[in-house]
Amino acid sequence: GLDAYPQPRKGIIMDFRYFRREAVLMGLLIAGVIVWQVINRSPAQTPVQASLMLVPAPTQAVLLKGEFTPGPGLRVLWSGESAESEARFFAGWLAGYTGFEIPVEEAQPGQEPANRILFRLVREVELSPEGYRLDISTEGIEISAVGAAGLFYATQTLRQMLDDGPGLPACSLLDTPAFSWRGLLLDASRHFWTPDQVRRVIDQLAYHKMNVLHWHLTDDQGWRLAVELQPRLAQHAAWRTEPDGSRYGGFYTAEQVREIVAYAAQRHVTVVPEIEMPGHSQAALAAYPELSCTGGPHEVWNDWGVSKEIFCAGNEATFLFLQSVLVKVTGLFPSAYVHLGGDEVPVARWEACPRCEERRLELELPDAHALQSWFLRRIADSLALQNRQVIGWDETAEGPLLHPQAIVQVWRDMDFAEAAIRSGHRVIASPTSHAYFDYGLESIDLKKVFEFNPVPEAFRGRREAALVLGGAANAWSEHIPDQAALDDRLFPRLLAMAEVLWHGPGAMAWPDFHVGVQHHYNRLEKLGIAFGAETVPLRFESAVGAGGGLDIRLIPGMPDADIFYVEGRTVPDSTDRKVSGDTAGSTPIRFSRGDHSITARAYRRGRPSGETITREFRLHAALGVAPKLAVPWTAPYDGGGAGALTDGRLGTDQFRDGIWQGYFGADLDATLDLGVAVTVDSVLLGAFQYINSWIFLPRRVRVYAGTIQGNLELISIADNPVSPHERNRFVRTFVAAFPAKEVRYIRVVAESLGTCPAWHEAAGNPAWLFIDEIAVR
Ligand code: ACM
Ligand code: ZN
């Protein structure tokens, strides 16, 4: 190489021509070296770099030359007492993975370093309790940690590398987590997960160096823990009758719980049980109605939402029951923490209950909300005697009597984290903004989770940040009925959560993480994880085109996605029409009149990604005419803004689809100016009902029309034939017909109920009106 190049001779003044020749030769040589590097080194290096695309990424990584391939003759050695169990556990796994015998022995001084994996407990100040150092050379592997957890996490790194291929890249890693609480909430109440499915989730957590399974075991829709002294919990509270008459449910026996807890412990996952109180308890009250304020009867709820049935705070039997349940819980779960829930407690029953009122007066508490604080404090005090600390959702931090040792799990907003820290409490952050994995990708996609920071802004880089134990992803299961749906909601978003909680927020740039995720998909496929999409896999864009038609484009949300679609409602497959990758220049789908629908599905890596989506379109005379609104819509339900009601695209069966326009406690009162007089004979108005979310159809729709502004006559009324009690979630189109008429101005008034009716759980609160598309024909 460069050594052979003639050096300029000192002391000799170079002749210009000679210098030029030297420079040209030098240039040619450098160019040659670069070409040689490009040809030879880049392709050889790619797989090595790819092998270190671990999720979460290690804290420090140095790549060395060569690799180590575990093969016959490999021994696993351990040094330091608690290293033995980690060494044996990994050797057992590796023997199964490679198919050859792997002896496990205690390390002896002066042993041959070749062809071994050494598990070593050390005292190194740079390693946190869960951190590890991993040194892979061409000879063998050495793992050092201060505790068993660190040794275990090193083995999970090795597993990820082995899932890339048998040769492990020589490297030196120092890896230590940013947060000690790296959790996932699994909701077993709304949908039940078999013990095998729970173990599968624990495996997935461990592989990504997460360490808490927050097991949501009780709620309005089912109680999942068998307790011998309260047999009606398993017999009755664990089962609900679905609206179609079928029975749904299940529970865990003590034996199953013990097995799951032990399985998790071997993988350094702590199982934290959540027993909800005083709200979210209708299932327990269906089994033991005497513990409710009214005495029942109650059913295990078969709908989603927040029940108003809560444990009676004035009845001593409530506390005997809960204390007996919690004795069972602390017997089964070694976790230092018990989660008591404490979220979303409607106090209407307490306010109307003489026993609760008597209790409140006796305790001199200002209101029923303070009674909740007292309730949870009483339970926390009794758990303290069993050497357990409590966790509660952020509502519990609003009361005056929060236990000083209580941990606050933030869900509504990070402002509550700030408040809890200011009052000296420890915090786990799982805000709806970033950590709700039951939410759709339109609100929380992979990048959004990657941007999560569990430390509230005010405390970043400050001492108080130490009160933030970490964070958790919450998989509420109302809309996660089975394992395929669970995989789809957890992945790939859990990768970003693992990255943020282990490596730390902002430790990595998004593009690098994103490349790592693409690589990590191969590993997830090996694990049989049916991961979902990174972001909304397909969007519909529509625009009012020339001549009043509608131009629709399908936009893939990811560059490697293909979209297949059909007109109509049949499910598309890979023989249907296709839009792929970059859609710039693709011709739009054009409709010129009538009602239409398009059904589309994205495919990635040979399988469907995200759900099959149907969108409906309605063409009409007022397309593209922005209405004048007497009362503005209510944020955040803007439906897309000023033109949303006449853009031709219709709201779907999901009221958060971004297409519906919401009005809180008010009528819709919209006036359209068609610009010129047009002969029409009907106005169609779409509205939504889902009373669990306080959304009611309008009482009726009135239509006024005319050719002179300010002089419109009432020409049609469409009444609502549907009962406001109807619990389903559905769209209804109101048709206001009239004899054909020439009009320029049309005013549409959809009358809101104003407030939720007296019989409704939110009686007296404003009612929502959700409107989409005012179509004039
Ligand atoms: C919650 O989502 N209600 C904690
Ligand atoms: Zn009561």
Side-chain angles (χ1 to χ4, degrees):
L2 284 169
D3 288 346
Y5 187 73
Q7 300 296 308
R9 280 147 294 181
K10 288 194 183 87
I12 296 174
I13 296 166
M14 263 192 285
D15 136 342
F16 181 62
R17 285 170 304 138
Y18 178 75
F19 176 77
R20 277 219 330 201
R21 206 185 66 216
E22 294 266 282
V24 169
L25 281 173
M26 170 93 102
L28 282 173
L29 199 69
I30 290 172
V33 167
I34 290 170
V35 167
W36 181 86
Q37 283 177 338
V38 166
I39 291 171
N40 291 287
R41 287 191 51 202
S42 298
Q45 220 169 32
T46 307
V48 179
Q49 283 177 339
S51 304
L52 280 185
M53 286 187 170
L54 304 164
V55 178
T59 315
Q60 285 174 31
V62 179
L63 256 184
L64 306 167
K65 279 202 162 59
E67 56 180 43
F68 173 72
T69 305
L74 177 70
R75 292 164 307 149
V76 168
L77 306 178
W78 55 272
S79 150
E81 209 170 303
S82 57
E84 179 176 1
S85 59
E86 297 305 325
R88 291 199 180 280
F89 187 53
F90 182 64
W93 177 85
L94 189 59
Y97 192 83
T98 58
F100 51 78
E101 287 288 308
I102 301 176
V104 181
E105 300 152 22
E106 184 167 9
Q108 304 300 329
Q111 245 169 340
E112 187 50 36
N115 211 11
R116 64 164 197 190
I117 303 177
L118 173 63
F119 285 71
R120 206 162 64 99
L121 282 176
V122 295
R123 293 164 181 271
E124 275 183 60
V125 284
E126 81 225 75
L127 290 174
S128 70
E130 295 179 291
Y132 65 90
R133 175 190 290 286
L134 173 64
D135 292 293
I136 304 178
S137 74
T138 52
E139 296 268 276
I141 297 172
E142 206 168 294
I143 299 167
S144 319
V146 294
L151 297 177
F152 175 77
Y153 290 126
T155 67
Q156 298 311 294
T157 295
L158 290 175
R159 278 188 64 191
Q160 290 193 17
M161 289 175 170
L162 283 165
D163 282 341
D164 294 344
L168 303 169
C171 62
S172 182
L173 308 184
L174 183 74
D175 206 4
T176 198
F179 295 99
S180 64
W181 192 284
R182 305 181 299 278
L184 170 72
L185 174 147
L186 181 66
D187 173 5
S189 172
R190 278 55 176 265
H191 283 102
F192 179 72
W193 307 98
T194 65
D196 279 342
Q197 289 172 325
V198 177
R199 279 188 284 267
R200 186 172 178 272
V201 169
I202 291 167
D203 280 330
Q204 294 171 350
L205 292 178
Y207 191 77
H208 297 99
K209 304 188 176 74
M210 307 274 284
N211 65 355
V212 174
L213 178 69
H214 169 178
W215 204 3
H216 186 78
L217 287 166
T218 73
D219 216 302
D220 296 321
Q221 294 84 0
W223 179 288
R224 304 291 170 225
L225 182 67
V227 181
E228 292 84 348
L229 291 176
Q230 281 96 13
R232 286 180 57 76
L233 290 175
Q235 291 161 3
H236 194 90
W239 305 95
R240 64 176 181 251
T241 304
E242 297 287 32
D244 68 1
S246 64
R247 294 282 279 170
Y248 183 91
F251 60 88
Y252 305 105
T253 65
E255 193 49 37
Q256 289 171 329
V257 170
R258 276 191 209 98
E259 283 171 12
I260 287 169
V261 167
Y263 187 88
Q266 207 162 27
R267 289 153 184 80
H268 295 273
V269 172
T270 301
V271 184
V272 175
E274 181 179 355
I275 306 294
E276 275 264 23
M277 65 190 73
H280 285 280
S281 298
Q282 190 175 320
L285 297 175
Y288 295 98
E290 66 273 20
L291 303 181
S292 71
C293 292
T294 62
H298 309 295
E299 296 286 318
V300 179
W301 209 16
N302 63 8
D303 203 350
W304 313 134
V306 178
S307 167
K308 58 180 178 293
E309 306 305 339
I310 68 177
F311 283 110
C312 178
N315 184 351
E316 276 308 295
T318 292
F319 295 93
L320 287 176
F321 168 89
L322 288 172
Q323 278 157 1
S324 145
V325 165
L326 289 170
V327 164
K328 180 79 196 169
V329 165
T330 55
L332 288 174
F333 294 90
S335 161
Y337 309 99
V338 176
H339 204 304
L340 300 180
D343 57 322
E344 300 180 312
V345 184
V347 291
R349 290 295 193 219
W350 284 357
E351 285 169 343
C353 170
R355 281 185 299 190
C356 287
E357 181 60 8
E358 194 184 329
R359 173 83 80 188
R360 187 184 71 76
L361 293 172
E362 175 200 331
L363 295 166
E364 298 179 3
L365 296 170
D367 57 21
H369 293 285
L371 197 54
Q372 181 199 340
S373 190
W374 168 82
F375 188 115
L376 289 167
R377 177 59 179 268
R378 182 169 166 176
I379 298 288
D381 284 340
S382 82
L383 277 169
L385 299 176
Q386 296 168 61
N387 207 16
R388 295 300 200 281
Q389 296 168 36
V390 300
I391 308 171
W393 296 110
D394 56 39
E395 287 94 330
T396 63
E398 291 177 324
L401 296 170
L402 183 63
H403 192 284
Q405 293 299 313
I407 297 172
V408 177
Q409 183 161 358
V410 171
W411 71 280
R412 289 176 296 177
D413 191 288
M414 285 300 281
D415 286 349
F416 293 103
E418 204 178 311
I421 291 168
R422 284 194 201 288
S423 63
H425 286 271
R426 289 166 298 167
V427 161
I428 299 160
S430 57
T432 50
S433 57
H434 295 79
Y436 269 49
F437 284 15
D438 52 321
Y439 285 18
L441 294 165
E442 5 12 286
S443 48
I444 300 182
D445 63 7
L446 180 67
K447 189 155 187 277
K448 181 89 181 184
V449 181
F450 182 80
E451 287 159 1
F452 176 46
N453 190 332
V455 179
E457 214 162 332
F459 294 115
R460 289 182 198 159
R462 298 209 2 215
R463 209 158 37 91
E464 296 92 326
L467 287 171
V468 179
L469 301 182
N474 293 342
W476 299 105
S477 66
E478 288 94 332
H479 307 290
I480 309 183
D482 53 32
Q483 185 173 296
L486 186 62
D487 278 11
D488 179 89
R489 301 306 197 290
L490 292 188
F491 293 96
R493 291 184 290 190
L494 197 71
L495 308 180
M497 186 57 79
E499 169 61 25
V500 165
L501 295 178
W502 179 278
H503 201 191
M508 199 175 202
W510 162 255
D512 296 336
F513 173 72
H514 192 239
V515 170
V517 167
Q518 306 312 305
H519 178 77
H520 197 72
Y521 284 140
N522 300 318
R523 299 179 186 137
L524 297 185
E525 278 170 354
K526 283 211 168 91
L527 296 177
I529 294 173
F531 54 86
E534 288 168 17
T535 188
V536 178
L538 74 99
R539 286 183 297 112
F540 286 80
E541 272 184 13
S542 61
V544 178
L550 206 52
D551 286 350
I552 294 144
R553 280 195 164 84
L554 294 163
I555 314 289
M558 291 161 285
D560 60 350
D562 293 324
I563 298 171
F564 293 93
Y565 71 94
V566 290
E567 281 179 37
R569 287 192 156 270
T570 51
V571 177
D573 63 35
S574 55
T575 64
D576 287 306
R577 278 190 282 170
K578 174 171 155 181
V579 178
S580 36
D582 178 12
T583 55
S586 74
T587 40
I589 305 157
R590 177 159 296 173
F591 296 129
S592 53
R593 50 180 300 139
D595 287 351
H596 298 271
S597 60
I598 297 175
T599 303
R601 186 155 210 195
Y603 279 69
R604 284 172 76 212
R605 300 169 74 98
R607 47 181 196 88
S609 186
E611 285 162 13
T612 302
I613 300 173
T614 299
R615 283 291 158 87
E616 296 188 323
F617 302 92
R618 173 160 295 153
L619 286 97
H620 57 89
L623 209 58
V625 175
K628 205 163 125 292
L629 299 171
V631 181
W633 65 76
T634 309
Y637 301 104
D638 62 15
L645 295 179
T646 50
D647 61 3
R649 52 176 200 155
L650 305 188
T652 69
D653 59 359
Q654 304 292 322
F655 67 87
R656 289 198 191 88
D657 62 12
I659 301 175
W660 288 100
Q661 203 164 71
Y663 293 83
F664 198 41
D667 293 348
L668 164 87
D669 186 343
T671 303
L672 303 167
D673 175 2
L674 302 181
V676 290
V678 179
T679 304
V680 295
D681 64 8
S682 58
V683 171
L684 288 71
L685 179 121
F688 195 84
Q689 180 153 306
Y690 184 47
I691 71 171
N692 293 30
S693 294
W694 312 4
I695 304 169
F696 293 83
L697 292 180
R699 279 178 213 281
R700 55 183 191 155
V701 177
R702 287 179 274 136
V703 174
Y704 302 79
T707 49
I708 299 163
Q709 195 166 15
N711 186 18
L712 309 184
E713 58 169 319
L714 179 64
I715 55 168
S716 185
I717 295 176
D719 284 314
N720 176 14
V722 180
S723 160
H725 289 266
E726 177 57 66
R727 283 265 167 198
N728 286 332
R729 180 165 34 182
F730 60 94
V731 179
R732 177 149 192 116
T733 303
F734 289 75
V735 182
F738 42 89
K741 187 175 168 63
E742 267 215 346
V743 303
R744 173 170 168 186
Y745 298 97
I746 296 172
R747 177 176 169 221
V748 181
V749 179
E751 296 176 16
S752 168
L753 255 54
T755 55
C756 297
W759 50 264
H760 187 268
E761 56 273 18
N765 285 293
W768 281 102
L769 195 60
F770 268 55
I771 304 294
D772 189 49
E773 205 71 4
I774 303 173
V776 179
R777 281 179 167 165

